[in-house]
Amino acid sequence: MTDRLTAREIVALVADDATFAELPDPVREPTGSATSAGPTEPTEPTGSAPDGPLGWPGYDAARARAAERTGERESVVCGTALVEGVRAVLIAFEFGFLGGSLGERTGDRLVSAYAHARAHRLPVVPLVATGGSRMQEGMLALTQLQRVARESVLTREAGLPQIAVVRDPTTGGGWATLGAGADVVLALPGAQVGFAGSRVRPADADPAAYTAEAQAAAGAVDAVVPPEELRGTLGRWLRLLTRPSTTPAAPPKPLGAGTGADTGAGTGPAPGPAGLPATGWDAVLRARSPERPRAGAYLDAYFTHRVAIDGDRCGGTDPQGMLCGFGDHEGRTVAYAAQTGTATRPAGYRTAARLIRLADRLGIPVLTLVDTPGAANDAEAERQGAGAAIADLFAAVAAARTPVTTLVVGEGGSGGALALAAPGNTWATPDSYFSVIAPELAAAILKRPPHEVESTADQLRVRPQDLVDLGVVRGVVGTRDHTRDDG
């Protein structure tokens, strides 16, 4: 368990000095509706029945004690502030006020905060610490989750990012809406995070499963961030996610064989004209070389700095097979989804689809790097829904309105690679290949002897220059003579 910061303390931790301006309380009408026409006096809102809507004995007294103890009138504090120079709406939960629980008045404040964000085109940063819905208000408290979900959807449709910071504890409906429902989820170390709170989960449940670290491992949290790094991390995310652009990302420059880069890849087959592979099998060997640059090298060369999203929000991650996030390239934001040269797992495809849809909503161009021998084909991958995950990524790329640029940097193995490729805007490096199937597998299916694998690679026309001739890719980066006329 981490130290539990108050709402004002967490705001002070993330906001630039003297920039936080609290939003006025919305006015609750006798009918139960709420408006945000202006500030109210620090008294009970109009229309509040004694001891709340259920007449829960002692509820008014409990609220009064919570207010005296915390100095707050509700369980959330909402306002605007600069976070490393980027203005955002901050929603800070006060756990000391009835466990940070959500009631009708909490819902009013949340609705007003989201509406303010949309009206002023500001990102939303929920700083969550809550035990869930307020029992003393019964189902009227629980239905606040529907109001919050609606506001989140409207904000998403407006193209505004939502970056949540989950604190200790974040459980119940607060986790299932403001937390897990955000575009990006950061967590403080050691925080209790989960739908089931400590008093309602099974007695034999492993408490380690309900932590920020466990949620990160399960793909529900993008990063666990120490408090002293939180403002800087939030600032980077906010800057990157609030810079839309309609210009496609330029394909990265090649780093491997035939480009003059000292990568060691020249130990493979001798390059052909313009540094290109002479045969199909040469292309395969060069793409499979362990010394060829992988995704990390390309991303480091392309971006000044970058931040990563991690996880498919369905219980899985693929950190060894797919790298996703947003980075700064020549002063503007580009999203990226990059295969790393291994067989891509279902969670990797789902994470990439999540990245592309988020970038599309925010109007941020996407760069994808293709490099995989193919999709993982073991039994566990099938149980995890490999086919459905690949289909979802195909759909995300096909539906994207934001421009997507693809560079094949190594192996392009069948549909597991093609799912990440942009139709009409895919490029290749001199040490890459793309094939409907691996040459060895093609030979096996055709019942050819092993010595015919190399000639089969030639027949498949997998070389980057072949792909240009076939119209599959627009050009080979780093060469002058292998680009389609329409490129």
Side-chain angles (χ1 to χ4, degrees), residues 145-166:
L145 303 179
Q146 294 173 320
R147 297 178 71 193
V148 172
R150 174 64 175 163
E151 294 302 314
S152 179
V153 167
L154 291 174
T155 303
R156 184 177 297 118
E157 290 176 348
L160 299 170
Q162 300 170 67
I163 306 173
V165 177
V166 292

Side-chain angles (χ1 to χ4, degrees), residues 31 114 309 314 345 391 448 453 476:
T31 59
Y114 274 98
I309 69 167
C314 299
R345 303 204 63 80
R448 293 178 176 179
V453 168
V476 182

Side-chain angles (χ1 to χ4, degrees), residues 93-129:
F93 277 73
E94 175 52 71
F95 189 77
F97 193 103
L98 301 180
S101 56
L102 282 77
E104 284 187 296
R105 289 166 57 189
T106 323
D108 293 345
R109 289 192 174 194
L110 294 171
V111 169
S112 179
Y114 274 98
H116 184 88
R118 292 194 299 275
H120 296 274
R121 303 294 303 166
L122 298 176
V124 180
V125 180
L127 305 163
V128 191

Side-chain angles (χ1 to χ4, degrees), residues 371-439:
D371 186 8
T372 181
N377 58 6
D378 54 87
E380 185 58 28
E382 293 298 332
R383 283 190 287 267
Q384 293 171 358
I390 295 170
D392 190 47
L393 180 55
F394 268 118
V397 173
R401 296 157 298 180
T402 196
V404 181
T405 301
T406 298
L407 180 64
V408 186
V409 300
E411 291 194 80
S414 194
L418 187 66
L420 199 60
N425 197 25
T426 292
W427 301 76
T429 65
D431 49 2
S432 67
Y433 80 90
F434 219 141
S435 180
V436 63
I437 191 172

Side-chain angles (χ1 to χ4, degrees), residues 210-276:
Y210 302 83
T211 63
E213 289 76 9
Q215 295 290 354
V221 165
D222 292 296
V224 178
V225 184
E228 64 274 14
E229 298 177 12
L230 188 57
R231 183 185 300 184
T233 300
L234 262 180
R236 285 191 293 276
W237 271 111
L238 288 168
R239 282 191 297 276
L240 288 169
L241 296 189
T242 54
R243 296 191 304 190
S245 172
T246 59
T247 303
K253 297 177 182 178
L255 301 178
T259 66
D262 184 14
T263 64
T267 57
L276 295 169

